[in-house]
Amino acid sequence: MSTPGVDRPIRVLLADDQHLVRTGFRVILEVEEDIEVVGEAADGERAVSMTRAVRPDVVLMDVQMPGVDGLEATRRITGTDDPDGPAVLILTTFDRDDYLFAALRAGASGFLLKNGTPEALVEAIRVLARGDGLLAPEITRRVIATFARPGAAADPRTAEAALDELTPRERDVLARLARGASNAEIAAELHLGEATVKTHVSRVLAKLGLRDRVQAVVFAYEHGVVRPGG
């Protein structure tokens, strides 16, 4: 199977109800040799149908759109059993926790605010195309803060069976993932090679039924694998 960004351009679908915003994104992305914009959608319904038709690697998804909004569209796109389905990067002007957590639970692989830089957007697309998830540092802090509140964490017993499948080393890797460590940082802390860490990460995601590192962060805090400040 070809690798996006290596063997071929990363295929990107733009979903935003504002034509000028889509045009701006297209201008930013089309100057990159490893990125190709393969379609545009002005609402969530169209985003879902175009995703099925053009099979992008990454969908840039606005939250507030007429009809089917970006959160529902994300659920429909990520709620399939297709292992080659696209990653969804939520882009919004609304810096609100309810959007953030709704997007993550809908299956989004990343979340960025539209006031970020073009460079950050391009790098986010590349990260998601590699199969990793992405949270900006300030958003990671908000994830942690939310699960620090009393009663915010889910009952860890709901995930006990899945967690029991992890080896001690895989639990170590999951804990470090939850704190935002990169593969290189995990390798240094655990005295492992990066290739070994990558294998452990893949096994953790597979055993827990998670799409990417973003879902691993949420899962770890929801189910008490790590505690804020721990």
Side-chain angles (χ1 to χ4, degrees):
M1 181 182 297
S2 62
T3 302
V6 178
D7 303 315
R8 60 175 176 79
I10 300 166
R11 296 168 57 81
V12 177
L13 174 67
L14 308 177
D16 195 294
D17 63 333
Q18 298 183 50
H19 180 75
L20 287 176
V21 171
R22 298 197 309 273
T23 300
F25 287 152
R26 180 180 283 274
V27 169
I28 291 170
L29 299 178
E30 287 192 333
V31 300
E32 304 295 330
E33 293 184 357
D34 60 337
I35 295 176
E36 175 187 6
V37 177
V38 295
E40 298 183 19
D43 59 69
E45 190 76 46
R46 181 67 172 159
V48 174
S49 63
M50 287 198 68
T51 295
R52 294 168 180 161
V54 304
R55 299 191 62 81
D57 301 302
V58 178
V59 179
L60 267 60
M61 184 77 74
D62 187 26
V63 173
Q64 290 197 334
M65 293 186 289
V68 175
D69 66 15
L71 299 179
E72 177 58 28
T74 298
R75 291 187 191 96
R76 296 184 187 181
I77 289 170
T78 64
T80 69
D81 295 326
D82 183 2
D84 298 320
V88 176
L89 175 61
I90 297 289
L91 283 152
T92 181
T93 56
F94 299 95
D95 189 8
R96 288 171 42 177
D97 285 345
D98 55 345
Y99 284 149
L100 166 61
F101 292 104
L104 295 179
R105 291 190 170 105
S109 295
F111 189 105
L112 288 178
L113 299 179
K114 288 181 180 177
N115 61 5
T117 65
E119 293 80 9
L121 173 61
V122 170
E123 179 58 24
I125 290 170
R126 289 171 177 153
V127 168
L128 266 61
R130 292 198 301 265
D132 293 330
L134 178 140
L135 286 178
E138 66 272 16
I139 293 174
T140 300
R141 288 193 292 270
R142 285 160 58 191
V143 171
I144 293 171
T146 292
F147 291 112
R149 294 199 293 266
D155 185 347
R157 290 174 298 181
T158 61
E160 185 175 352
L163 287 169
D164 283 346
E165 294 294 317
L166 301 184
T167 66
R169 179 60 80 197
E170 289 166 352
R171 276 182 173 263
D172 288 342
V173 169
L174 176 59
R176 285 162 173 80
L177 278 180
R179 297 189 181 103
S182 66
N183 284 358
E185 291 167 338
I186 295 172
E189 290 181 22
L190 298 180
H191 307 290
L192 299 170
E194 284 192 51
T196 301
V197 170
K198 186 174 182 179
T199 298
H200 283 314
V201 170
S202 297
R203 288 175 177 168
V204 167
L205 298 180
K207 288 181 179 181
L208 299 181
L210 305 174
R211 286 174 60 93
D212 51 44
R213 299 167 80 100
V214 170
Q215 289 196 350
V217 171
V218 175
F219 181 97
Y221 282 99
E222 280 188 323
H223 299 293
V225 176
V226 290
R227 298 294 184 187

